[in-house]
């Protein structure tokens, strides 16, 4: 019959289409849209997780860098402190040594001076005695006792003044 | 694009091509025995079954259309049944199916302004595409069984692989009712989306005087929508037959035309689907 004829076929075709739509909805679209949604959710959550972990790692790196910088600073400070302290110690030791040396020198000098004085005194004393003895011996025959004493006193006074 | 096929697929393709060429030769021999008037006298006839109930056109059906539709539905359902439990990480076959669906989904998502109607439109568009593409390829490019009817709509001859399968989309009934369905569903969506008042008002825009034009414009959509597909596929089938007759001493053009039939079929299915989406989209916007 006619090439272009509308008849009951169209309605049956439409019913067929609805059946196909229903079956495809049950078998294809529903599971596929579900799986696609699930996949999207999974990808999104994993991306978010990755982003979170990346941020965490970045923070940890920053923290580590901070710690490292702090440690470096502390180490530098320790080193410089130690250096300073050692310098101080050296200086102190030097000063102490110098002082000690000075003290020893001074005491030695004082000792020497004392010894010298003592020696001088001794010498003086001895010289006096010797001189008196000598004079006594020389003057034994010449002067009487009184004159001897006056003469000696004069000599000694002169010696003291000198 | 590099096409990499495994051994099994290559063997299948070669076997398919050999069968195709063999059927082309058979067809040429078969047709060469007939005169042109004999070969083409029933070309515009359809096998029509008269039902014992109903009146007028409601008592008549085209059994071949319905039967082929069932075959196509069966094929689609068998294929789809394998993927009823899709995997989260798809294999190659699932990925291929997903890419087809994703292609349609992207088109729908880009075109439909109201987010609520994206999914329903996608279901309709994807079903239309799968059904039409399969029936177009079957009718346009694959040699098969078809029935020649006389002017009264009775069976006169059964062609076994001397013609292509009969395509349901080469029957105006299928296309017209699908187009009307698309038209109605677009109006239903429009009413749901805008509300009845705004929808009714949209028929009188920009000025009330334009109402008849709007009606004609809207009603012409399903007509052009259905006739475009019908013309292409029915015409394509006729051309295949004509070419097969004309090239009875040379089977190669038939094979080539068959391959073109695949492209024409896919393009027309795509056009029908895109237009369906566009009509729904324009009704919603």
């Amino acid at each position: 019959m006619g090439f272009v004829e509308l008849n009951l076929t169209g309605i049956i075709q439409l019913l067929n289409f609805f059946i196909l739509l229903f079956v495809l909805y049950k078998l294809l679209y529903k599971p596929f849209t579900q799986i696609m949604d699930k996949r999207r959710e999974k990808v999104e959550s994993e991306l978010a997780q990755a982003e979170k972990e990346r941020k965490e790692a970045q923070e940890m790196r920053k923290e580590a860098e901070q710690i490292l910088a702090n440690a470096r600073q502390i180490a530098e400070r320790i080193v410089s402190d130690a250096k300073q302290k050692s310098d101080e110690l050296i200086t102190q030791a030097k000063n102490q040594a110098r002082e000690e040396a000075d003290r020893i020198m001074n005491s030695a000098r004082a000792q020497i001076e004392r010894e010298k004085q003592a020696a001088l005194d001794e010498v003086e004393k001895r010289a006096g005695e010797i001189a008196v003895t000598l004079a006594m011996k020389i003057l034994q025959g010449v002067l009487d006792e009184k004159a001897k004493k006056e003469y000696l006193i004069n000599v000694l006074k002169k010696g003291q003044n000198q | 694009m590099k096409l990499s096929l495994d051994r099994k697929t290559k063997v299948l393709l070669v076997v398919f091509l050999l069968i195709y060429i063999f059927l082309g030769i058979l067809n040429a021999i078969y047709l060469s025995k007939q005169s042109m008037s004999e070969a083409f006298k029933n070309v515009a006839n359809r096998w029509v079954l008269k039902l014992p109930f109903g009146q007028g056109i409601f008592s008549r059906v085209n059994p071949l259309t319905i039967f082929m539709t069932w075959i196509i539905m069966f094929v689609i359902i068998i294929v789809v049944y394998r993927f009823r439990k899709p995997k989260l990480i798809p294999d190659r076959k699932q990925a291929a199916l997903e890419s087809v669906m994703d292609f349609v989904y992207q088109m729908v998502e880009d075109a439909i302004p109201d987010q609520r109607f994206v999914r329903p439109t996608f279901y309709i568009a994807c079903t239309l595409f799968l059904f039409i593409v399969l029936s177009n390829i079957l009718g346009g490019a694959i040699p098969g069984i078809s029935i020649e009817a006389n002017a009264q709509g009775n069976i006169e001859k059964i062609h076994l692989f001397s013609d292509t399968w009969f395509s349901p989309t080469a029957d105006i009934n299928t296309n017209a009712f699908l187009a009307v369905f698309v038209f109605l569903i677009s109006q239903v969506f429009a009413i749901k989306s805008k509300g009845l008042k705004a929808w009714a008002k949209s028929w009188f825009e920009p000025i009330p005087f334009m109402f008849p034009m709007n009606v004609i414009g809207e009603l012409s959509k399903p007509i052009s929508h259905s006739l475009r597909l019908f013309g292409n596929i029915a015409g394509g089938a006729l051309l295949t037959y004509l070419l097969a007759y004309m090239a009875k001493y040379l089977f190669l053009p038939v094979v080539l035309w068959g391959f073109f039939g695949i492209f024409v079929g896919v393009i027309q299915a795509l056009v029908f689907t895109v237009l369906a989406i566009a009509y729904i989209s324009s009704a919603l916007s």
Side-chain angles (χ1 to χ4, degrees):
Chain A
M1 280 299 276
F3 195 57
V4 184
E5 184 196 83
L6 287 171
N7 55 27
L8 196 62
T9 317
I11 294 161
I12 297 168
Q13 286 295 83
L14 205 55
L15 286 177
N16 283 336
F17 179 75
F18 287 146
I19 293 165
L20 187 66
L21 189 63
F22 177 73
V23 174
L24 285 187
Y25 175 72
K26 285 279 172 202
L27 287 182
L28 189 69
Y29 305 140
K30 214 173 153 189
F32 267 83
T33 46
Q34 271 172 0
I35 206 92
M36 278 171 178
D37 288 346
K38 216 165 138 185
R39 200 178 290 155
R40 189 181 298 133
E41 270 170 29
K42 198 170 152 62
V43 169
E44 271 170 9
S45 77
E46 270 171 19
L47 278 178
Q49 180 76 15
E51 181 67 17
K52 202 179 132 197
E53 276 171 12
R54 198 179 64 82
K55 270 185 186 161
E56 269 177 18
Q58 217 166 22
E59 268 167 30
M60 278 164 89
R61 209 179 100 182
K62 263 185 196 167
E63 217 169 293
E65 272 171 8
Q66 187 69 40
I67 289 168
L68 200 69
N70 282 350
R72 200 167 281 151
Q73 224 170 3
I74 289 166
E76 270 170 18
R77 210 169 54 219
I78 289 168
V79 168
S80 73
D81 281 0
K83 211 172 164 187
Q84 205 180 346
K85 207 166 261 178
S86 73
D87 284 350
E88 271 173 17
L89 277 174
I90 288 165
T91 320
Q92 207 178 346
K94 271 183 184 167
N95 289 343
Q96 226 168 2
R98 198 171 290 129
E99 274 171 19
E100 187 73 7
D102 285 353
R103 199 175 52 77
I104 291 167
M105 286 287 278
N106 287 342
S107 80
R109 229 171 252 142
Q111 182 82 19
I112 289 164
E113 197 61 34
R114 266 200 313 276
E115 291 289 323
K116 199 176 135 190
Q117 197 60 45
L120 277 175
D121 287 352
E122 188 66 30
V123 167
E124 210 169 86
K125 197 178 149 192
R126 300 281 285 178
E129 278 173 14
I130 292 162
V132 168
T133 315
L134 275 174
M136 288 287 269
K137 275 181 181 174
I138 295 161
L139 293 173
Q140 242 169 358
V142 184
L143 297 167
D144 66 340
E145 267 320 290
K146 199 182 169 189
K148 272 188 218 172
K149 269 186 183 175
E150 276 177 6
Y151 178 77
L152 269 175
I153 287 162
N154 279 339
V155 167
L156 285 172
K157 270 182 184 171
K158 268 182 193 170
Q160 258 176 348
N161 287 337
Q162 278 171 359
Chain B
M1 193 181 77
K2 201 185 165 209
L3 200 66
S4 62
L5 300 168
D6 56 15
R7 202 184 146 75
K8 208 172 133 190
T9 320
K10 275 181 193 162
V11 169
L12 204 75
L13 271 177
V14 169
V15 168
F16 176 76
L17 201 68
L18 285 175
I19 292 172
Y20 213 104
I21 292 168
F22 173 73
L23 290 174
I25 298 169
L26 206 73
N27 200 14
I29 294 167
Y30 174 79
L31 286 174
S32 65
K33 289 178 183 163
Q34 294 176 315
S35 67
M36 196 164 181
S37 59
E38 199 187 341
F40 285 93
K41 72 173 182 207
N42 292 323
V43 90
N45 293 335
R46 291 273 187 271
W47 173 28
V48 177
L49 202 67
K50 288 178 188 70
L51 299 170
F53 51 85
Q55 275 187 341
I57 56 166
F58 292 107
S59 69
R60 297 150 70 87
V61 289
N62 303 350
L64 202 55
T65 309
I66 296 161
F67 188 64
M68 287 307 296
T69 305
W70 286 342
I71 289 177
I72 289 157
M73 282 166 70
F74 181 72
V75 171
I76 293 174
I77 290 166
I78 287 290
V79 171
V80 159
Y81 188 75
R82 285 186 55 196
F83 299 104
R84 69 195 180 283
K85 281 174 188 160
K87 291 176 264 257
L88 196 64
I89 299 161
D91 54 16
R92 284 170 75 176
K93 283 169 190 164
Q94 191 186 322
L97 188 64
E98 270 181 25
S99 66
V100 172
M101 285 168 64
D102 200 49
F103 172 68
V104 180
Y105 192 84
Q106 286 303 323
M107 282 198 303
V108 174
E109 205 175 30
D110 291 344
I112 302 297
D114 194 334
Q115 201 60 34
R116 286 175 300 161
F117 298 104
V118 170
R119 287 267 160 105
T121 311
F122 163 68
Y123 301 148
I124 293 164
C126 200
T127 311
L128 279 174
F129 182 71
L130 288 177
F131 173 68
I132 295 171
V133 81
L134 209 67
S135 72
N136 284 1
I137 290 173
L138 211 63
I142 316 278
I145 302 160
S146 84
I147 287 165
E148 195 181 316
N150 58 19
Q152 284 75 44
N154 300 318
I155 301 171
E156 191 154 305
K157 212 183 281 172
I158 296 173
H159 293 273
L160 290 171
F161 301 105
S162 62
D163 193 5
T164 56
W165 291 97
F166 179 73
S167 169
T169 44
D171 187 337
I172 187 70
N173 284 296
T174 313
N175 305 341
F177 277 78
L178 287 181
V180 167
F181 166 68
V182 169
F183 170 73
L184 290 177
I185 205 80
S186 68
Q187 298 309 319
V188 169
F189 283 176
I191 293 168
K192 267 190 173 178
S193 174
K194 300 178 197 166
L196 193 63
K197 215 173 159 184
W199 171 77
K201 209 181 151 197
S202 72
W203 289 85
F204 297 94
E205 276 170 355
I207 46 168
F209 174 72
M210 291 298 280
F211 175 68
M213 315 292 173
N214 283 334
V215 172
I216 293 167
E218 284 300 316
L219 289 183
S220 66
K221 278 179 186 173
I223 296 169
S224 71
H225 199 190
S226 57
L227 283 178
R228 178 181 294 108
L229 182 63
F230 168 70
N232 272 290
I233 302 308
L238 282 181
L239 270 175
T240 314
Y241 194 67
L242 187 68
L243 207 67
Y245 182 79
M246 284 165 72
K248 55 189 174 186
Y249 304 112
L250 190 68
F251 61 84
L252 196 64
V254 186
V255 178
L256 280 179
W257 180 255
F259 273 111
F260 283 131
I262 293 177
F263 300 125
V264 171
V266 174
I267 288 166
Q268 286 310 317
L270 188 65
V271 166
F272 194 91
T273 312
V274 168
L275 281 176
I277 296 167
Y279 290 157
I280 293 173
S281 160
S282 79
L284 281 173
S285 57

